[in-house]
Amino acid sequence: VKVMTRLGKSLTFNHPKVPVELYKTFIYDSEDPNASAAATDFCPLLKNLDIPVVAVVPTSDPTVDLADKLAACTGVRGNPAYGPLAQARRDKWAMMEAVRKAGLRSIQETKVSTWAEAEKYLKTWDPPLSPKRPCVFKVLTGAGSEGIESATSLEQAKEQFFSVIGTKSTMGGSYAQVLVQEFLKGKQYAVDTVSRDGIHKVVTVWREDFRPANGAFNDYFGFKVLDPEDALSKMLIDYSSKVLDATGLYNGAANLEAVFLEDEQTPCLMEVNARWAGLGWTDGYAVEEKCVGTNQISATFDAFLDPVAFEQMPAVRPIKEHGGLVFGVNYVSGILKGIPAVAAAEKCASYYSTSILCTVGKPLSKTTNGDAPIIITLIHKEKAKVDADYTNLIKLEQTDNGFFDIEPTADSAIITATRVDSSSSLFVTVVVA
């Protein structure tokens, strides 16, 4: 059963290779999502299905609140839908407050609705706002990198504040408040987990490679699988488990993103995504399958539907091979004439596959966050092979737009900066999209 939070196109990290035959589809009749109203509408419908609901699974950030409420009203396994932790897995302010109260390292931040409030807060910083100590504006309930801007001066901060506040969200509604946060300097990581009744299992630990590109300070360049036995991975896993407890994420999937602060020797949470990871899908999960023997989606359904399979999962999955993904970044708008990255990738010792998400002969825009025209996957028994190939591909990508052959247009200056089959089963899984 598919439940949609609003009218229009849904944001979902669920893109099956083949069409899925849905048993039922329910769509909230508004362009603006409202989890409480939608739950009131849908709960009786779900309870009156001719087969019982056994799980409610969010497939993207905007669906988390509704998924929690639907799980509560249908009486299935879920996370706190009401009370002090109800928003801790969706609202970034509530999330950080929960982490802070648990005694874990959290981002220095405040929540503002006017520039006067933001300016007053930034003027209290010591050392002050500067290129050495930038700030970040972030929307409270965005997905991916939506609504995230950085600033190094009060003048720039004011400009970035007004570029976000009051704007329309891609998921419906507009932003009346934003967070002003310290900019965390360090490498960023992700820990993908699944949980059942407060017991957490780690599927994969990733190094997330964000770099400036096309005016953005944090564009996606790639991911690499980390060995969970490394000392750093163990620190990330321990911290992530405590964050899951602090934010009330007792059931289902999570994609926790954190920066490791070298000077403090501790991770610091960027955010908890209370759903399975959205990285490259067929590509990212192919890497997971090869490197750790399963993928987070399969593990999520085991956590909800198969207690024996969940119990048999190791607390932390060991790696079988090393792997990574390289996201193609295009720096020049124009007509795509060719993709030299493909031939270069196929020569790599650790090359596994390429997904091409653009068309030769058609226009290709500059890459923005989460919109890579191609994705290259690397897998090998030897870590050194993956590391070397990854480094070389990124170098090619950043040298004269080396991944793509583009006939430029006028504005092309380079800027760097599951349903369970109802015919054989007597239960249904609700997927909230």
Side-chain angles (χ1 to χ4, degrees):
V1 174
K2 181 177 182 179
V3 174
M4 294 182 63
T5 60
R6 66 184 181 95
L7 297 171
K9 185 178 179 180
S10 63
L11 171 67
T12 177
F13 298 120
N14 181 13
H15 306 288
K17 289 183 178 180
V18 295
V20 175
E21 181 185 350
L22 295 167
Y23 180 66
K24 295 281 186 180
T25 298
F26 301 117
I27 304 173
Y28 181 58
D29 190 21
S30 173
E31 293 185 355
D32 295 325
N34 183 319
S36 296
T40 299
D41 287 354
F42 296 146
C43 190
L45 299 176
L46 294 173
K47 285 184 172 181
N48 289 326
L49 290 173
D50 52 0
I51 50 177
V53 172
V54 294
V56 181
V57 183
T59 64
S60 67
D61 306 273
T63 67
V64 170
D65 192 5
L66 178 56
D68 289 341
K69 288 178 168 59
L70 291 179
C73 80
T74 56
V76 300
R77 184 172 279 103
N79 298 310
Y82 306 96
L85 291 180
Q87 291 300 311
R89 295 166 305 284
R90 182 69 187 110
D91 182 294
K92 294 180 176 65
W93 170 260
M95 184 185 298
M96 289 300 168
E97 287 301 294
V99 171
R100 193 183 336 275
K101 289 176 181 177
L104 302 171
R105 177 62 161 95
S106 59
I107 296 178
Q108 177 185 341
E109 64 178 1
T110 194
K111 182 168 55 174
V112 302
S113 56
T114 68
W115 167 243
E117 292 172 337
E119 183 181 32
K120 181 180 179 181
Y121 173 67
L122 289 170
K123 284 183 175 179
T124 67
W125 279 23
D126 184 20
L129 181 67
S130 69
K132 291 185 177 180
R133 196 190 183 196
C135 73
V136 174
F137 288 95
K138 187 179 292 187
V139 299
L140 275 68
T141 57
S145 296
E146 180 184 18
I148 300 177
E149 302 289 348
S150 65
T152 59
S153 67
L154 285 175
E155 294 77 13
Q156 189 180 27
K158 184 176 182 179
E159 178 182 345
Q160 300 294 15
F161 172 84
F162 284 109
S163 74
V164 176
I165 198 74
T167 58
K168 187 82 171 177
S169 167
T170 59
M171 295 157 287
S174 58
Y175 300 123
Q177 292 182 307
V178 296
L179 294 175
V180 188
Q181 297 181 334
E182 65 174 318
F183 179 81
L184 297 177
K185 293 186 177 181
K187 294 179 179 179
Q188 188 163 321
Y189 301 88
V191 180
D192 291 345
T193 64
V194 294
S195 303
R196 181 183 174 93
D197 298 336
I199 298 173
H200 312 304
K201 304 289 182 81
V202 174
V203 179
T204 314
V205 183
W206 299 89
R207 162 79 168 99
E208 296 185 318
D209 187 0
F210 289 92
R211 310 185 189 204
N214 294 327
F217 72 95
N218 62 339
D219 212 342
Y220 291 92
F221 274 74
F223 292 80
K224 284 198 285 188
V225 175
L226 298 186
D227 188 340
E229 291 301 313
D230 290 346
L232 173 60
S233 294
K234 289 182 177 180
M235 294 177 68
L236 292 165
I237 290 168
D238 179 67
Y239 177 85
S240 297
S241 180
K242 293 174 181 176
V243 168
L244 291 173
D245 291 337
T247 56
L249 208 158
Y250 309 131
N251 293 286
N255 167 245
L256 295 95
E257 297 179 292
V259 169
F260 189 77
L261 306 175
E262 291 286 349
D263 54 343
E264 300 179 37
Q265 282 296 290
T266 185
C268 182
L269 182 70
M270 294 289 288
E271 62 182 322
V272 177
N273 301 300
R275 41 74 180 168
W276 47 52
L279 60 92
W281 269 81
T282 54
D283 308 275
Y285 287 115
V287 173
E288 275 195 335
E289 289 277 2
K290 295 287 288 185
C291 291
V292 302
T294 191
N295 64 71
Q296 194 184 17
I297 297 176
S298 297
T300 298
F301 282 100
D302 283 344
F304 276 117
L305 304 176
D306 192 337
V308 174
F310 180 79
E311 184 178 354
Q312 291 174 348
M313 286 184 204
V316 180
R317 296 196 71 89
I319 61 170
K320 299 179 176 182
E321 296 188 72
H322 299 272
L325 301 92
V326 176
F327 297 119
V329 174
N330 176 44
Y331 293 93
V332 180
S333 296
I335 303 301
L336 180 63
K337 295 297 185 182
I339 312 173
V342 175
E346 290 173 347
K347 295 177 182 178
C348 293
S350 64
Y351 175 74
Y352 183 72
S353 68
T354 300
S355 286
I356 300 175
L357 308 174
C358 53
T359 303
V360 173
K362 298 290 187 179
L364 184 64
S365 300
K366 296 175 186 176
T367 304
T368 56
N369 283 326
D371 192 25
I374 66 169
I375 303 172
I376 298 166
T377 58
L378 306 172
I379 297 171
H380 202 280
K381 290 286 187 182
E382 297 179 30
K383 180 178 182 295
K385 298 287 188 184
V386 174
D387 289 344
D389 291 340
Y390 184 95
T391 298
N392 289 335
L393 286 171
I394 296 292
K395 183 178 180 181
L396 171 66
E397 182 173 35
Q398 294 185 310
T399 303
D400 298 326
N401 203 38
F403 268 26
F404 305 98
D405 180 9
I406 299 287
E407 181 181 303
T409 53
D411 61 343
S412 59
I414 295 178
I415 302 175
T416 58
T418 179
R419 155 197 182 268
V420 180
D421 186 352
S422 60
S423 66
S424 60
S425 305
L426 299 178
F427 55 84
V428 65
T429 299
V430 178
V431 176
V432 187

